[in-house]
Amino acid sequence: MTTAVKDMTHGGGGGGAALALNVMRLRTFIALFAVLIFFSLAAPNFLSTANLILMSKHVALNAFLAIGMTFVIITGGIDLSVGSIVGLCGMVAGGLILNGVNLDFLGFAYTLYFNVPEIILITLALGIFIGAINGVLITRLGVAPFIATLGTLYVMRGLALLLSQGRTFPNLVGNPEHGTEGFAIIGSGSFLGLPLTIWILIAVALAAAYIAKRTPVGRHIFAVGGNESAAALSGIRVDRVKMFVYMFSGFCAAIVGLIIASQLMAAHPATGETFELNAIAAAVLGGTSMSGGHGTIGGTIVGAFVIGILSDGLVMMGVSSFWQIVIKGLVIIAAVVVDQAQRRLQHRVVLRQMASET
Amino acid sequence: MTTGTVKSGADSGESAADRDIVLTVEKVTKVYPGTMALRGVDFEVRRGAVNVLVGENGAGKSTLMKIIAGVERPTEGRIIVDGKPVSLTSTADAVRHGIGIVFQEMNLFPNLSVAENIFVSREITRPILGVRHQEQERLAAELMKQLEHDIDPKALVADLPIGQQQIVEIAKALAQDARILIMDEPTSALSAAEVDILFRVIADLKSRGVAIIYISHRLEELIRIGDYITVLRDGRITGNERMDKIDISWIVRQMIGSDAKDFADGKHAGGGAERLRVENLSLPRPGGGYLVDHVSLSVHAGEILGIYGLMGAGRSELLECVMGRHPHASGSVYIDGKKSTARDVAGRIHQGLAIIPEDRQRDGLVPILPIGTNMTLASLRQFCLGPHIRIAKELAAVRDFITRLSIKAPDPARQASSLSGGNQQKVVIAKALMTEPKVLLMDEPSRGIDIGAKSDVFRTMRRLAAEGIGIVFVTSDLEEVMALSDRIAVMSKGKLITVIDKAEATEEAVVAAAAVGHRKARSEPNAELETTA
C-alpha cells in the first residue's frame, strides 16, 4: 500500500543509524581496506610493489571466474564446471603447443601445428563451446543448472586427464620450427609496469560491467533472474540470455586456463580444482544474491580481492593453510550476515526518515 | 445482527464499552520505506456483522489488514481485542486471538494438496506415525461441502484454477475457527455463481457471531453484503457509517473526494482496417480435449473487443496462444492482414502485439528491479544505439509514461515492489504501451484495482483505441464488458459461442452464451468450475 511521498530528503534523521548503514553498504570496500591495513602491519614486505603485483596476479585468476559466475548467479543459475574448464583449456593449449594435432587418423602422416594466436583463439572457443553445452543442457533439455554443470565438471576434468593420460604437459616454450613459441607472454608479459594478466582483467571487467549496466543483454540477465515468467512475456528470449551467461562463464574460464598454463609454462590436468567454489565465494562476498536478480561486477571484483589478499596475507604471516580455509569460510559467512543486517537496518533508517518528515 | 450505536471513528476510547465491538484499531500509523501507509487510523470491528473497508489502491487497506492479522506491526498506535490491548507479533498471535485472514495475493503452497494447505502448520498428528492425512482430508472435504464446492482435498493447489484456490484460502481461515475473519478482495477471482456461494457462507458465519472484515472494490457487492462501512483515503479514515444510511455515490465521494464516473466516455471509433485476425486457434488440454477450441475472431483498428466468460472458459489461454506463449497451439494469427510467422512471444511483440497478463505478480512485474527498468523491459531496442542503452532517452520516456498513466511513483529508480497494486498494474501497462503495439491484449486489466485506477485504465483503453490500436480485453465483470466493448465475444469451455455487436448486446444474451455447455449454472454451481488443469 503506497502513498507517494513528495519530498524524499536523503540523509536527514537517524544520524547514527544512517552512518552505520553507509558503513555496511561499503562493507566489501571496508573489508578490503581492513585486510590491506592489517597485513601491511602484520606481514613485512606486504606493501612492496612486487608483492602487490604478485597478489594481483593471484587475485585476477579468481576474479575472471567470479565475473562469469556473477552473471550466471544473477540469472538464478550456478556454474560448477568452471574449474574443470580451466583445467581442460590449459591442457588443450599445452597439447597444441607441445604436440600439435596429429592428422594420422585422416590418413595423412602429418602433424598440424598452430601458432600462438591461433591456439589462444581455439582455446577461448573451446571454453565458449563448453559453456554452450551447459546452456543447451539447461535451456533445451531442462536440466537444473546445478546438476548440468556438476555433470560437465566431471566430464571436462576426465577429458583433461585423458588428453595426457594424467601427465603434465611440461616446458611449453614452443618450437620455432612449428611457430609455436611466445606462449609465455600471456602469463608473464607486462605493459606499462603492470602484468598483462591485470590488463586483461581490467578489459574483461570493464566489458562485463558495461554489459550489466548499459546493454539490453545486461537488463535481460537481471530480468530473467528477477522473474523469468514476466521476462518471457516481455519478449525476452530467456533461453538465449541463459546461453549467453554460461558461454560467457566458459569464456572467462578459458582465459584463466590459458593464463595459468602460460604462467607455469606447463599444463597440468588437475589445474582448477575447486576454483568454482572460490568464484562463487567472491561473487557472494561482493553482494550477489544467490536467489538471482541482484549483483554487481564491481562488488564481485572487490570480493575476489578480499578473498585473495586474505589467503596471500595469511601465507606471508605463516598461518597454517588449514587455518586459512577456516578463516575463508568465516569471512564468507560474515559477509552474508552483514548483508542481511544491512537490509534490516536500511529498512529502519528509511522508516525513521519518513517519520521525521511527517 | 448488531444493535450497537455507530459513531465516527475518532472517539474510540468511549467505544471500548460497546459490547459488540470485538476489535478496535486505535490511532495506528504505519510507515514503509518511501511511503506512509497509515496515518492515525481508528477502526472498529463488530461481531456478527460484515465490516466493510474500502479505499482506492494505495489507500492503506491491505496494510491495515496485515497489522490486524499480525503480519506487520504498527509503527505507532495499538490494537484492542475484547477490551484488552494486545501485541500481535505474528500470524500465530493473531490466530490465538481468533483472527483469520484470506489474503488478496494467494498465500497457498502450490506444491501441496488442498488438505495439506488447509492444515499447514496445524497438522493433525499422532505420535510416531505423524500426520493423519485421512483425517485432514475428511475435514477438508467437510469444509468444502460447507462452501458448496466439491474440490478434491487430495488435489494439488497448483492444479486448481484461481477461483478454486480462493475457496481453499477461505476454507483454511474457516478451519482455524476464526472469530474475526478478514477477507481481502475475496471475489476478485470468482465468477458470479461463486460469489453467490461465498455470500451464503458469509451470511452463515455472521449468524454464528463471526465478525467479518470485508475488503473489495466492487461497490455493488459492498452495498449488498455490508453492515458497516469504513472508507480509507491516503492512509486516513474519511468516512465511517452504517451501510443502510449510505449509497454508492457516498462511498465514491469519500474514496476520491468527488463523484467519479466509472467508465470513460463511449466514443467508439471502430470501423478501421483489420488489425488482428485469428483462425482456428486451438490449444489441446493435457488430459484430452481443448483448452481453446478452434477459435476464430478479428479485431479492427480503433475497436475494443471484450471477451466475456466464466472461470476456465479458456479466455486467458486464448490470449496466450495469440501471444505465442504455447508452442503446441495450432491455428494462424494475422497481424494487419499478414500471417504471423513468429513462433515465440518476442517475435509476436516485434510484430506489434503486446499483452497485459492477468497475474501481474507472476507474469507482469520483475519486483526487485526498478520501476523504470520494468517499464522499458519490452522496448529497450528503441532506446538503444547499437548495443548501448541511452539512459537519458530511456529516463525521459519513463517519466513521460509516469505522467501519462498518472502512476504514483516518487522515484523511477525505486523497486517496483514498493508500489501499490494499482500502480504496479499501470507499470505493466506502460511496459506494453512502450512497445507501440498495433494490438493490445489485456487479461482482466481491472482485476484488484480501485475505481480511480480503473477509470484511468478505461480512459487509457479508449484513448488507445481512438489512436487506432485494436484492443482485446478479457473480463469477468459483466458491467465492464457491456460498457467498454464495441463487440462482445463470449466464450464457454474453450469455444467461442458468439460475437455480439454492442448495439444488439443485452446482459441476458451475454450471460446465456457464457453458460452454454454448462448445465443449469445456478442450481449446479460446480458445473462451471470444471478444472482447467
Side-chain angles (χ1 to χ4, degrees):
Chain A
M1 296 277 96
T2 314
T3 307
V5 175
K6 274 89 193 173
D7 310 298
M8 277 297 293
T9 51
H10 294 285
L19 180 70
L21 185 61
N22 281 329
V23 169
M24 284 198 204
R25 273 205 197 109
L26 296 171
R27 64 184 179 281
T28 350
F29 274 104
I30 293 169
L32 181 62
F33 282 111
V35 289
L36 277 175
I37 292 168
F38 175 76
F39 287 121
S40 59
L41 298 176
N45 296 330
F46 180 80
L47 276 185
S48 69
T49 319
N51 185 51
L52 286 180
I53 287 179
L54 184 71
M55 279 196 312
S56 300
K57 283 171 84 169
H58 291 168
V59 169
L61 298 178
N62 187 21
F64 279 116
L65 299 179
I67 289 169
M69 189 68 76
T70 301
F71 279 157
V72 173
I73 293 177
I74 290 174
T75 65
I78 192 88
D79 187 352
L80 299 178
S81 66
V82 290
S84 295
I85 300 178
V86 168
L88 181 62
C89 285
M91 288 303 285
V92 167
L96 287 175
I97 290 170
L98 215 56
N99 304 331
V101 180
N102 196 327
L103 295 179
D104 278 350
F105 64 95
L106 290 176
F108 303 103
Y110 181 71
T111 301
L112 181 63
Y113 287 96
F114 297 99
N115 63 26
V116 167
E118 285 166 349
I119 288 170
I120 290 172
L121 288 179
I122 290 168
T123 310
L124 292 176
L126 175 69
I128 294 171
F129 176 72
I130 299 169
I133 295 175
N134 282 331
V136 167
L137 287 172
I138 290 159
T139 60
R140 301 279 158 201
L141 304 177
V143 184
F146 191 97
I147 305 298
T149 57
L150 183 65
T152 41
L153 177 155
Y154 285 118
V155 172
M156 300 309 154
R157 182 66 65 200
L159 290 177
L161 290 161
L162 279 170
L163 271 181
S164 65
Q165 301 308 315
R167 285 189 299 271
T168 301
F169 288 137
N171 202 19
L172 301 179
V173 285
N175 185 339
E177 262 176 52
H178 306 310
T180 52
E181 79 276 34
F183 185 61
I185 197 166
I186 312 172
S188 47
S190 70
F191 178 68
L192 296 179
L194 275 184
L196 207 52
T197 307
I198 301 300
W199 288 111
I200 301 172
L201 176 66
I202 291 171
V204 171
L206 286 179
Y210 177 76
I211 289 172
K213 289 274 178 215
R214 287 295 174 100
T215 67
V217 183
R219 290 284 177 83
H220 294 174
I221 289 171
F222 283 90
V224 167
N227 183 348
E228 195 171 319
S229 172
L233 273 180
S234 302
I236 293 171
R237 293 190 160 107
V238 174
D239 286 359
R240 282 194 200 173
V241 173
K242 289 188 178 172
M243 289 294 293
F244 172 82
V245 296
Y246 288 99
M247 287 162 78
F248 185 75
S249 181
F251 169 76
C252 290
I255 294 178
V256 176
L258 283 169
I259 291 174
I260 293 180
S262 167
Q263 280 175 353
L264 302 176
M265 288 315 274
H268 182 62
T271 302
E273 272 174 358
T274 74
F275 278 20
E276 59 278 352
L277 301 182
N278 283 326
I280 295 167
V284 169
L285 202 58
T288 308
S289 155
M290 288 302 285
S291 51
H294 206 279
T296 61
I297 298 300
T300 295
I301 302 266
V302 176
F305 268 90
V306 172
I307 289 182
I309 291 174
L310 200 63
S311 1
D312 281 11
L314 290 172
V315 171
M316 291 179 70
M317 280 177 67
V319 176
S320 135
S321 66
F322 305 144
W323 273 112
Q324 289 177 35
I325 299 170
V326 173
I327 291 169
K328 192 153 80 180
L330 292 177
V331 166
I332 291 163
I333 293 169
V336 179
V337 170
V338 174
D339 187 43
Q340 293 301 323
Q342 182 206 323
R343 273 160 220 235
R344 280 195 298 272
L345 187 63
Q346 190 158 9
H347 198 72
R348 273 222 311 278
V349 168
V350 177
L351 293 193
R352 234 176 266 172
Q353 281 179 5
M354 302 273 318
S356 69
E357 280 160 27
T358 44
Chain B
M1 280 299 290
T2 175
T3 53
T5 48
V6 183
K7 351 179 167 45
S8 71
D11 54 350
S12 52
E14 199 184 314
S15 58
D18 193 326
R19 284 179 46 219
D20 272 333
I21 293 173
V22 285
L23 183 141
T24 309
V25 171
E26 212 176 75
K27 299 207 165 36
V28 161
T29 296
K30 177 71 190 178
V31 188
Y32 282 121
T35 53
M36 185 127 178
L38 296 174
R39 303 156 195 257
V41 165
D42 293 313
F43 180 52
E44 290 166 354
V45 180
R46 289 171 173 79
R47 86 178 83 235
V50 174
N51 304 265
V52 165
L53 187 66
V54 290
E56 291 207 45
N57 274 337
K61 303 177 303 277
S62 294
T63 307
L64 181 55
M65 289 311 106
K66 281 181 184 163
I67 286 172
I68 295 176
V71 177
E72 298 273 5
R73 269 188 276 178
T75 317
E76 281 165 35
R78 58 181 188 162
I79 294 166
I80 298 163
V81 177
D82 293 331
K84 285 189 276 298
V86 293
S87 137
L88 305 173
T89 54
S90 68
T91 45
D93 272 355
V95 167
R96 241 193 321 281
H97 287 100
I99 302 169
I101 185 163
V102 177
F103 283 101
Q104 177 182 9
E105 308 294 350
M106 305 276 178
N107 269 30
L108 296 175
F109 303 96
N111 54 335
L112 298 181
S113 77
V114 169
E116 283 167 332
N117 265 284
I118 290 174
F119 291 98
V120 76
S121 86
R122 298 172 300 109
E123 286 80 3
I124 303 170
T125 54
R126 65 207 136 175
I128 301 166
L129 292 171
V131 178
R132 295 169 62 187
H133 285 286
Q134 283 172 350
E135 179 67 4
Q136 288 193 3
E137 279 153 17
R138 192 183 61 75
L139 289 171
E142 259 175 32
L143 282 165
M144 288 304 157
K145 211 165 161 194
Q146 197 183 338
L147 292 168
E148 300 182 41
H149 277 75
D150 62 355
I151 300 169
D152 180 4
K154 290 182 195 165
L156 278 191
V157 164
D159 295 337
L160 300 179
I162 204 158
Q164 295 193 2
Q165 292 187 10
Q166 190 89 55
I167 298 293
V168 175
E169 278 266 18
I170 294 168
K172 186 173 156 188
L174 289 183
Q176 302 176 0
D177 292 323
R179 289 187 302 137
I180 301 166
L181 183 59
I182 303 167
M183 296 183 161
D184 193 354
E185 298 266 358
T187 57
S188 62
L190 301 187
S191 69
E194 289 171 302
V195 171
D196 283 345
I197 296 168
L198 177 66
F199 283 6
R200 280 206 291 282
V201 171
I202 289 175
D204 178 45
L205 292 171
K206 255 170 71 172
S207 68
R208 287 196 251 152
V210 174
I212 289 161
I213 305 175
Y214 191 93
I215 301 174
S216 177
H217 288 121
R218 299 188 179 175
L219 301 187
E220 332 76 61
E221 201 175 283
L222 300 181
I223 296 276
R224 192 173 141 202
I225 195 167
D227 298 309
Y228 297 92
I229 181 162
T230 304
V231 187
L232 264 177
R233 184 169 80 220
D234 286 342
R236 289 197 178 86
I237 302 284
T238 55
N240 190 358
E241 264 299 348
R242 279 179 74 104
M243 194 62 94
D244 48 20
K245 291 189 181 165
I246 55 110
D247 57 10
I248 286 194
S249 71
W250 180 89
I251 302 177
V252 172
R253 269 200 310 280
Q254 308 306 317
M255 278 173 67
I256 48 181
S258 63
D259 273 325
K261 216 174 174 192
D262 254 9
F263 301 101
D265 280 340
K267 257 191 271 162
H268 297 287
E274 184 184 86
R275 279 297 198 194
L276 171 78
R277 183 169 88 245
V278 302
E279 281 177 3
N280 266 325
L281 215 55
S282 292
L283 179 66
R285 182 198 299 268
Y290 290 98
L291 285 169
V292 178
D293 196 351
H294 299 90
V295 171
S296 303
L297 49 76
S298 66
V299 191
H300 295 82
E303 185 183 43
I304 300 180
L305 175 73
I307 302 184
Y308 182 78
L310 301 172
M311 197 66 54
R315 299 164 302 168
S316 302
E317 290 80 1
L318 173 66
L319 294 196
E320 285 172 7
C321 288
V322 174
M323 217 47 218
R325 205 184 186 192
H326 296 288
H328 44 286
S330 61
S332 20
V333 172
Y334 297 82
I335 301 162
D336 273 351
K338 278 203 313 222
K339 185 166 178 175
S340 169
T341 47
R343 300 224 62 89
D344 60 0
V345 179
R348 294 271 159 93
I349 287 179
H350 193 55
Q351 290 178 338
L353 299 185
I355 190 166
I356 316 283
E358 179 182 12
D359 188 336
R360 62 176 168 266
Q361 298 290 336
R362 198 184 61 200
D363 300 324
L365 280 183
V366 186
I368 62 169
L369 289 188
I371 294 160
T373 306
N374 267 287
M375 288 168 71
T376 56
L377 206 52
S379 52
L380 276 175
R381 218 180 289 198
Q382 72 186 75
F383 307 108
C384 282
L385 194 69
H388 179 79
I389 301 173
R390 282 175 290 181
I391 300 290
K393 197 177 173 197
E394 185 195 13
L395 189 64
V398 166
R399 290 201 187 285
D400 178 36
F401 271 86
I402 284 179
T403 325
R404 270 164 69 181
L405 298 179
S406 45
I407 303 174
K408 278 189 200 167
D411 180 1
R414 199 165 292 168
Q415 288 189 356
S417 58
S418 70
L419 293 176
S420 69
N423 285 311
Q424 290 184 355
Q425 181 74 338
K426 287 180 184 174
V427 168
V428 177
I429 293 176
K431 179 173 74 177
L433 293 185
M434 279 186 163
T435 65
E436 294 170 358
K438 295 169 181 162
V439 179
L440 185 58
L441 311 174
M442 308 174 93
D443 198 349
E444 299 278 6
S446 66
R447 184 183 155 197
I449 301 192
D450 63 83
I451 297 183
K454 246 183 201 169
S455 33
D456 280 353
V457 169
F458 296 153
R459 227 185 336 262
T460 307
M461 287 166 71
R462 289 262 182 249
R463 198 186 64 223
L464 295 170
E467 286 167 10
I469 293 178
I471 294 181
V472 182
F473 84 106
V474 159
T475 180
S476 306
D477 188 328
L478 191 58
E479 195 192 349
E480 200 173 295
V481 79
M482 299 296 293
L484 272 177
S485 320
D486 297 321
R487 283 188 301 146
I488 300 170
V490 187
M491 286 183 72
S492 178
K493 300 207 155 182
K495 287 199 179 73
L496 180 65
I497 304 301
T498 178
V499 181
I500 318 174
D501 268 346
K502 185 191 176 76
E504 291 134 37
T506 61
E507 299 199 354
E508 293 73 32
V510 171
V511 171
V516 168
H518 299 281
R519 289 157 294 150
K520 283 179 279 171
R522 268 300 138 94
S523 57
E524 281 183 55
N526 293 323
E528 48 190 70
L529 292 168
E530 311 256 304
T531 355
T532 51

